Each structure stands twice: as C-alpha cells, then as structure tokens.
Amino acid sequence: MASAIRIKGGRVYDPLHGLNGVVKDLCVEDGKIVQECHGAAEVIDATNLVILPGGVDIHTHIASPAVNAARGLRPEDHRLLCCPRKPGLRSGVGFTVPSTFTTGYLYAQLGYTTVMEAATPPIGTRHTHEELNDIPMVDKGCYLLMGNNEFILQYLKSGDLEKIKRYVAWLLHSLKGFGLKLVNPGGVEQWKYGKDVEGLDEKVNHFDVTPRQILQALTWVNEELGLPHSIHIHANRLGVPGNYQVTLETMRALEGKRVHMAHVQFHSYGGEDYVSFTSKAKEMADYINGHPNVTVDVGQVVFGDATTITADGPWQYRLHKLTKNKWYNLDVEVETGSGIVPYTYREKNYVNALQWAIGLETFLLIKDPWRVFLSTDHPNGGPFLYYPWIIKLLMDAEFRSQMLKRVHKRVLSHTMLPHLSREYSLYEIAIITRAGPARALGLRNKGHLGPGADADIAIYVDAKDKEEMFERAAYVLKDGKIVVRDGEVVESCPGRTIFAEVPGDDDLLTELRDKFEKYYTVEIGNFPIPLEDLPFHQAVPTGRPV
Amino acid sequence: MGEIILTFKGMGGSTVPLEADPITPDLLQLKVRAEIERLPLYHGNEQLLLGDFFSVKGERSNQIRLRGDLSQVKNIGVGMQTGRIVIESSIGMHVGARMTGGEIQVHGNAGDWAGAEMTGGLLWINGSAGNRAGSAYRGSKYGMRGGVILIEGSGGHEVGGYMRRGLIVVRGNLEDHAGARMVAGSIFVFGRVGGRTGGGMKRGSIVCFNPLDVLPTFRLTSTYAPLFVTIYLRALRSRGFSVPEIGGGRFARYCGDLAESGKGEILVWQG
C-alpha cells in the first residue's frame, strides 16, 4: 500500500542541499522523499518545528560478542535503565550497554536512524549480525576488524598485497561487512605476547611487519576495492599520554588517502604521564584542517558511568591496572583481541575533566564541520544518550563556561576552551550528526532530504535549551513511517542491515580451507553468513569512484 | 503528626512475593489516605493497588507502622531518605536496601539483601537477617557505603560483602564469607563466624568475639586493647543495643587479606 505523508511548514535543515532553516513542505512516498506527493497524503503540521534528516552515528558499539560480554560483565548496569514492555515493543535493560531492542528504541527517540557498529571480529560477526537483526528502528552495518589478522600479517610479510586484497574482499563478501576497521594495528598481535607497539615502525612479533605497513596496505586495499567508507582507524597508543605524535604520524603515513580517524579525543594527549597530561587538540586540529583527506569522529567524554569495550587488549589491561575495576580479556583466535573495563568519568578528576575539554576543543578547532562527527565512541566515552548534552555544549558557549567552572580547576589553565567562543549553529549540528557522517560513509540515501533519499526524518520542537530539544524528537519517520511521536516510540520497524557489495573470490578458497583447518576453531563452511540470515538488508555498491 | 498504620491483609494464599517499593516515608508523607491506597504495587507481573493488600490508617506522616505477616513482602523502605518505618513482624527481601537516611525497625526476621548498598540511616533488626545483608548487589563495586545495621539475631552468608563504609553489628552468628572483599567499614560479630571471614578484604575491621579459622592470607601482628572497640561498645549500649561485657578487652589482631592490599584487620577477642 502506498503511504504518503506531507510535512507542512517546518524549518528544514538539509546541509547537503544548502537548506539552512528554510520553511518548506516535505513529501514522502513509499519510504522515499519525493518532489511532490501524488494523491492523498497524511499531513504532519510542522509549523514552528525543526526538520532534520535522521541522525547517522558513524562509530558506536551496540552489537558484537564483546558488547554482549560487557552486558554479562556488568549486571549492575542493567539496574540503571529499565524499559518495561509496551504494546508492540519489547522490554530491555542497560544504561551503558543496553540490550538490543532497547538500543534501537533509545536511538530512535533521539532522532537517529542509521548507526554503525564500529568493530566486529570476523569470527564473531555471525553473532554481531544476529544482534543487529534484533536492533529495530535503525539501519545498521558493521566494520570488520582487520588490523591484527594473522593471515593478513602473513601475506604482508611475504609482500603479497594482491592476496590481502582478495582475502579482505572474501571476508567482506562472506561476512556482509560494511567497512574495514583497524584497531591498534600490530599492537593487539603484540599483546598476545604481553607487549604493545610503541610507534609505527616497531616490528610486530613473529611477522616482521610494522604498523605503518599494515596501515598503508589496508588503506590501499580499501581504495582498490572502492569501499563506500574510507578506512576506519583506531590508532595505536589510545589513551596513553603523549600519544598525539603517533596519531599525527599515522595520518602522515596515509597522506593523500581517504582516512577516518576514530575517537580522536582519545588520541590527542600530550605529556609524559597522567600528572603532566596535556591537550594536543590544537596540533591535531591544525593537521586535520590542512588535510581534507581526513575525517574524524570525536569520542567525546561525558561524565558518569561508561563501559570501555575495545579490541585494543593492551590498553584495556592498562586501564584495569589504573582503575582496579573488573576486567575482561579475550584472545580472538588468529584475528584480534578484546577487552572490557567499566569506567566512571568524574568531573573532579583532572585527567577525565581534561579529556572532556579535549573533545570539545576538537569539535571547536576543526573548521570544516563536514569532517568532524559527533560520537562518544559509545559506550567508551559514555552512552549515546548524552548526545543532546554534547550538542548543548557545542551550541551554547555560556553553558560550556559554566561546566568549565564545575570541573577540576587545574583544567582551566590547561585548555583553550575559555578562548573558544565558537558556537555551533543548528545547520552545523545537522552536518556533524547527519550529513557529514552519511557522506563519509558513502551512503547516498542518508543524511539529506532531497528527492530520492530514504525518508528517515527527525522533527524537533525548537527550544532554547538544546539538550531538551534533542532529547526527545517530536516525530521520527523511518522509511516514511511515523515511528516516534513526542519522544516515545509508537511503532517498531525492523531497519535494514547495510553492507558493502564486494564480489566474492572463490579462487582463494582452497588455500583458506587449509588455513582454517590448521588455525581456526570453525570449519570454513560455517564461516560465511548467507544473505538469508539477514532478513532485512541492503547492499551498497562498491567500485572506484568515477 | 500521627503515624500511618498499614495492616497487611494477605495475598489470598499466593506465594508470589509482593513488591512494595512505594512504601517509604518520603512518598507516603505527601499523600492522603485515598492516595496511599491507590499507589501501584507489583504482585508478580500484575500491577495492583496498595489498598488491595493493606488496610490504611492515618495519612501524611513520615512515621509508618506495618502489621501482619510480611515475610513475602519485598522492597520495603528501598532508597528511603527520611522518617521511620516500624515493622511489627518478619519482613521479606531487600528491606532498607539503598536507603540513605531515616530509620527502619524490624521486630522479627529480615530476608536476604537487608540494607544492601545502603548509604546512610539505621536498620535495626530484632530477629535474624538473611544472606548478603549490607552487601553489594551483583556486579556492583561497593556494598554498604554508610549507615548502621544492627542485627540482634544471626546473619546469613556474605554479610557485609564489598562493604565500603558504615557499621554492621551482629549479636548472633554469621555464616561463611562475612565481610568478603570489603573495602572499608566495620563489622562486629558477638557469636561465631563461618569460613573465609574477610576473604579478599582490602581495608576495614572485622571484630569477632569468638575464635575462628583465620584464612592463611592473614597474619597475626599483635595482641592489644583497641580503644575504638570500647568506644563502639559504649555507643551501642547507650543506644539501647545490649552487648556482652568483655572485661579486659584484649584482641589478637590479624592483618590482611595479604592477597590484596593487606590493610584490613580481623580482631579476635582474647578475653
């Protein structure tokens, strides 16, 4: 049945088409935005309301074996947020690591309609897809962890780039991944021997390759395959004071190539230890401003409970030693590692408060909003539920300076924040939360409101308090259906799993079968995920851009 | 201001526990009788009204008295901040859990998790307490973070587990793992304690008045007469909590758990 909706009289913010608060009617038909409705249409009166494309989260952790392990590790987290069952909706719990259905509902209430799980180990991707299938309301995809894959390191050692390309293509094709993710390239492999890498040119145990080689090879592969999203990098030395050098070095090593640096806040630290800990957001922003090949998401820290979940095993061990909080560590066969540590960011802790300030500096110092995206690296820097709070901090310099007075007082002399009077406009917020990430992901139907776009639309009541405004969307349309009304989910919809359409390569199978028998705990026949296992899916074409 | 008397009418033979979270002085002192009767309570997965289970007398008071057999009624006084609850019988699980202030008197036994994760106030149990009184809920870093739990009977397993601050006094016995993984605070036990007392404790004091099997990761450091014990006992007596005379009051001091920081102590009365 054709469903049509006309959204009348709202102020439209659609940065891709340069619409900055233009009052305009929007027409939706059969799940798409159209120029004009044909025939009868349901009318939403959006007078005085603000219309944005549905939110796009480029980096979050919502589904994977590690996320699920975090749910198990943190029963105390379940008590902090309980969503009872409602007609048509499922119950769920969890504040920093909500259960699947709840994750979907909570994202939708904020006006988000596309989210990307930022790390799944290949062998765990079956689990990841099962969870993604159970996250309603949003379109979703996942990035496959590659940076410490021993097969890739082996091919790299023998200098066979072509084979890496074919293997990566096989992985993406069989596992329905959307992109490539590197986490602490080389370092996680080192962690299997109790070590980490210090810099880009340190040899990785046994394989005789360096993080620099891994970065360059996989970036080359990413571009050769013409994936919609650039390579997605969690650089080496996350969280360690003085790590900004490695981060800059990483970006320099990939100069001229498309590259996405994840949660840069965690990679912009100066100093030698946590006492001399300083901000290097300025240095990072200067580099990023001068290099249009780089996009970043911030990984903003918010105060309160967080659960750190990452494939970066060595860092998680350090964090466990630092906090004495409980720790989960897993060696994922030949692929990667994983670690989980609960964490609480405190206003009165100098390091935490400076981390908070560094994130905001990053937002404010990077001039081009099309290349800096809103994220908390959920749930590492805090749950995504705080996005509205961050938006308020960005849009309201007064609120920012009030917060600055509340946090640890040493921060004031160590941050540029008091001198940054920039305030984001609604138009810029629409870029960093919608249009920008959609463009970086290569999703042509997302993040804008032009004809042909998916009818994923978020409508808000404009309020002076931007936190209040973005906390509860007045309406959210997903594929042209009203799914949220007055901040409450009114109808559940499944959402699609988005993956990159990479041609399969069966020539490699004989060799891989051999390797699987030797090194894996699963049969190669059970490894690929058939399309039937993704009941709602959408392939995004790949190939080099014209 | 009078008091609110809630008399339990029973649950018609059902053995499903009743979840009585709204019964706190903080909430009830704002309500008139009709409103109190209309407060929602969960019985299993059914939402019913307080008036279905209790007959209500009095209104707008922060003094609450509960009557009837309440051993299947859970969550009384959870998170309460002020006022006083007197329970004239035994009570179910979670009584006074997460309370931050005020006072609860139980004239009977309490179920498991009494005063779990409480941060302040007084929970006085005339009978015995169940397992995990004053301890942490599963997964939490800390258990009781302040306040006082007085138990005139005995306690179950893991009493004071993960305790962070505050005082637990038990006139009777405790089962295994008393004060396990406690971080700070004090536990006094006048009866006997079970195995692995203080296992994994970082700091804090466990004062025992009977001999016990101390874990091998505790070391005897000295025998002395700690002043603080005398002060605590005097304070308890002055509040009406009768404690035995301990004469000279010399205690063997074991420090531990040396598998952790070793800054905790178990004091054992030597007579």
Side-chain angles (χ1 to χ4, degrees):
Chain A
M1 194 183 79
S3 59
I5 293 178
R6 178 189 288 273
I7 305 166
K8 280 184 81 153
R11 280 191 285 132
V12 178
Y13 291 82
D14 179 7
L16 194 74
H17 298 98
L19 299 183
N20 184 2
V22 177
V23 177
K24 175 175 184 274
D25 287 5
L26 277 183
C27 294
V28 170
E29 223 166 58
D30 296 330
K32 296 279 179 191
I33 294 174
V34 291
Q35 204 77 48
E36 191 52 54
C37 288
H38 308 90
E42 184 187 341
V43 173
I44 296 178
D45 181 9
T47 317
N48 295 327
L49 301 184
V50 171
I51 302 179
L52 274 69
V56 180
D57 197 343
I58 199 167
H59 187 109
T60 177
H61 301 277
I62 47 167
S64 72
V67 171
N68 209 36
R71 293 182 188 119
L73 183 73
R74 298 207 65 188
E76 76 277 18
D77 184 62
H78 304 184
R79 294 193 291 273
L80 299 178
L81 183 74
C82 304
C83 301
R85 187 186 58 181
K86 287 180 191 154
L89 308 181
R90 304 262 296 249
S91 63
V93 293
F95 178 61
T96 63
V97 273
S99 44
T100 50
F101 286 88
T102 307
T103 303
Y105 304 146
L106 293 174
Y107 258 118
Q109 286 168 358
L110 298 181
Y112 273 75
T113 49
T114 308
V115 297
M116 287 289 164
E117 163 55 46
T120 167
I123 196 173
T125 303
R126 182 174 289 277
H127 177 125
T128 305
H129 277 304
E130 293 289 349
E131 284 199 16
L132 288 178
N133 288 344
D134 273 352
I135 296 181
M137 319 303 288
V138 289
D139 291 340
K140 53 255 165 173
C142 56
Y143 312 146
L144 302 183
L145 288 162
M146 303 265 185
N148 296 279
N149 187 308
E150 295 186 358
F151 295 177
I152 291 177
L153 298 184
Q154 192 77 52
Y155 293 140
L156 193 58
K157 186 181 180 182
S158 55
D160 199 344
L161 283 182
E162 196 55 36
K163 214 170 222 176
I164 299 181
K165 179 179 148 191
R166 285 165 60 196
Y167 174 59
V168 169
W170 180 79
L171 279 178
L172 282 168
H173 174 80
S174 1
L175 300 178
K176 311 294 175 280
F178 182 76
L180 262 59
K181 171 82 182 291
L182 306 192
V183 170
N184 189 359
V188 181
E189 175 61 28
Q190 286 283 73
W191 173 238
K192 300 186 179 187
Y193 303 87
K195 290 176 284 202
D196 194 359
V197 289
E198 302 273 333
L200 287 195
D201 296 307
E202 198 173 307
K203 294 273 186 212
V204 176
N205 217 351
H206 187 64
F207 290 101
D208 206 30
V209 297
T210 63
R212 185 185 301 276
Q213 284 171 298
I214 302 171
L215 284 162
Q216 285 171 338
L218 284 168
T219 307
W220 177 82
V221 167
N222 195 86
E223 297 313 293
E224 279 291 303
L225 292 174
L227 296 184
H229 183 32
S230 60
I231 189 122
H232 199 101
I233 298 173
H234 158 145
N236 306 91
R237 310 297 287 166
L238 176 140
V240 181
N243 62 8
Y244 80 109
Q245 297 278 16
V246 177
T247 319
L248 286 175
E249 201 52 38
T250 303
M251 291 191 282
R252 282 192 202 113
L254 304 173
E255 200 152 307
K257 310 262 171 39
R258 271 195 315 161
V259 49
H260 180 84
M261 303 296 291
H263 38 74
V264 275
Q265 178 274 127
F266 287 110
H267 300 274
S268 307
Y269 304 154
E272 273 151 27
D273 49 35
Y274 289 108
V275 179
S276 59
F277 190 73
T278 56
S279 164
K280 293 289 174 188
K282 174 94 174 57
E283 283 78 353
M284 299 290 287
D286 283 348
Y287 183 91
I288 294 160
N289 283 334
H291 294 81
N293 59 315
V294 184
T295 56
V296 302
D297 68 87
V298 172
Q300 174 65 37
V301 154
V302 299
F303 298 114
D305 266 357
T307 304
T308 66
I309 308 172
T310 167
D312 197 344
W315 162 250
Q316 291 300 69
Y317 175 69
R318 261 176 242 135
L319 193 63
H320 159 64
K321 282 291 180 190
L322 217 59
T323 59
K324 301 190 176 65
N325 285 343
K326 50 192 169 182
W327 171 48
Y328 170 95
N329 179 60
L330 183 68
D331 171 11
V332 187
E333 307 203 4
V334 300
E335 295 175 350
T336 178
S338 171
I340 303 164
V341 179
Y343 194 81
T344 307
Y345 293 96
R346 294 178 202 284
E347 290 177 9
K348 299 293 183 200
N349 173 307
Y350 169 64
V351 173
N352 293 165
L354 194 60
Q355 286 178 308
W356 168 80
I358 293 171
L360 293 177
E361 286 172 358
T362 309
F363 275 117
L364 297 169
L365 288 170
I366 296 178
K367 290 184 188 129
D368 181 3
W370 286 93
R371 295 195 288 119
V372 55
F373 312 133
L374 176 63
S375 82
T376 58
D377 188 13
H378 164 86
N380 287 287
F384 62 81
L385 296 167
Y386 284 102
Y387 285 177
W389 184 71
I390 300 171
I391 291 174
K392 183 176 178 187
L393 284 166
L394 294 175
M395 295 186 75
D396 187 343
E398 175 59 33
F399 179 57
R400 218 154 55 213
S401 60
Q402 277 170 18
M403 268 310 295
L404 201 55
K405 282 184 200 129
R406 268 175 55 176
V407 302
H408 194 284
K409 55 179 180 291
R410 227 180 104 201
V411 168
L412 198 61
S413 54
H414 284 73
T415 172
M416 302 172 63
L417 270 191
H419 312 293
L420 299 173
S421 55
R422 179 177 171 194
E423 287 181 338
Y424 270 69
S425 63
L426 256 182
Y427 186 69
E428 286 174 310
I429 292 295
I431 299 174
I432 66 166
T433 58
R434 274 101 173 142
R439 190 166 87 172
L441 286 166
L443 296 174
R444 284 154 192 271
N445 297 332
K446 304 285 183 196
H448 69 96
L449 298 170
D454 291 342
D456 298 348
I457 304 169
I459 305 176
Y460 300 93
V461 180
D462 199 1
K464 196 167 174 302
D465 185 338
K466 299 301 171 194
E467 183 181 5
E468 209 176 283
M469 169 177 173
F470 280 97
E471 235 165 25
R472 297 160 64 84
Y475 295 92
V476 176
L477 277 72
K478 177 82 190 72
D479 292 322
K481 266 198 278 182
I482 299 175
V483 291
V484 171
R485 223 185 261 267
D486 296 330
E488 299 291 333
V489 177
V490 290
E491 190 184 337
S492 184
C493 64
R496 293 181 295 272
T497 302
I498 307 171
F499 61 93
E501 195 171 32
V502 183
D505 186 346
D506 287 344
D507 298 351
L508 213 57
L509 268 186
T510 331
E511 185 185 331
L512 284 177
R513 184 165 289 121
D514 229 36
K515 279 180 178 283
F516 264 70
E517 262 170 33
K518 267 196 197 133
Y519 302 117
Y520 259 100
T521 54
V522 295
E523 292 277 336
I524 194 167
N526 295 328
F527 194 73
I529 298 159
L531 220 41
E532 301 85 78
D533 288 2
L534 310 180
F536 304 94
H537 58 254
Q538 181 184 358
V540 176
T542 59
R544 296 218 218 175
V546 188
Chain B
M1 198 157 58
E3 63 178 3
I4 299 173
I5 299 174
L6 302 175
T7 309
F8 191 50
K9 298 192 278 198
M11 299 185 288
S14 168
T15 53
V16 175
L18 180 69
E19 309 201 8
D21 310 51
I23 302 185
T24 60
D26 309 273
L27 188 64
L28 264 49
Q29 68 183 348
L30 306 171
K31 309 274 181 198
V32 296
R33 200 180 131 193
E35 287 172 324
I36 294 172
E37 283 174 344
R38 281 203 305 274
L39 286 171
L41 299 186
Y42 269 95
H43 185 225
N45 60 3
E46 258 180 298
Q47 199 186 53
L48 296 159
L49 302 180
L50 192 143
D52 297 338
F53 297 99
F54 293 91
S55 62
V56 183
K57 220 173 115 187
E59 58 187 18
R60 287 189 191 280
S61 167
N62 66 358
Q63 312 284 315
I64 301 171
R65 185 172 290 272
L66 287 151
R67 290 183 174 149
D69 177 18
L70 298 152
S71 53
Q72 288 295 315
V73 180
K74 299 199 293 187
N75 297 1
I76 296 282
V78 165
M80 71 184 265
Q81 297 169 7
T82 56
R84 184 178 151 93
I85 301 179
V86 178
I87 301 161
E88 294 189 350
S89 75
S90 290
I91 186 74
M93 293 197 283
H94 307 286
V95 60
R98 299 202 315 274
M99 68 191 278
T100 61
E103 187 185 334
I104 300 179
Q105 278 269 357
V106 182
H107 295 287
N109 300 330
D112 298 340
W113 308 101
E117 294 190 16
M118 69 191 275
T119 57
L122 172 65
L123 172 58
W124 190 324
I125 300 165
N126 285 65
S128 292
N131 300 313
R132 289 214 144 211
S135 76
Y137 280 118
R138 302 291 179 204
S140 291
K141 196 170 179 184
Y142 300 127
M144 179 174 176
R145 292 151 218 200
V148 177
I149 301 179
L150 303 177
I151 302 169
E152 299 197 31
S154 294
H157 295 280
E158 292 183 53
V159 168
Y162 292 85
M163 183 172 175
R164 176 71 184 78
R165 194 174 285 140
L167 172 67
I168 299 177
V169 182
V170 186
R171 193 180 297 143
N173 306 324
L174 283 183
E175 303 287 338
D176 293 348
H177 294 286
R181 299 200 71 86
M182 71 191 277
V183 184
S186 310
I187 302 178
F188 282 62
V189 193
F190 292 95
R192 299 194 160 272
V193 287
R196 296 178 180 270
T197 295
M201 72 192 286
K202 286 204 175 87
R203 296 189 301 279
S205 305
I206 302 176
V207 185
C208 304
F209 291 85
N210 279 297
L212 73 154
D213 287 335
V214 180
L215 280 171
T217 45
F218 284 78
R219 185 173 295 156
L220 178 63
T221 55
S222 64
T223 301
Y224 75 131
L227 189 60
F228 86 92
V229 174
T230 318
I231 295 171
Y232 269 57
L233 296 184
R234 196 182 300 153
L236 285 169
R237 278 192 205 103
S238 74
R239 303 274 170 93
F241 187 91
S242 68
V243 290
E245 283 299 331
I246 58 160
R250 289 181 70 76
F251 289 80
R253 180 177 185 273
Y254 294 86
C255 78
D257 184 334
L258 295 169
E260 289 288 335
S261 67
K263 291 179 189 160
E265 60 181 7
I266 298 178
L267 302 178
V268 188
W269 186 45
Q270 302 293 300

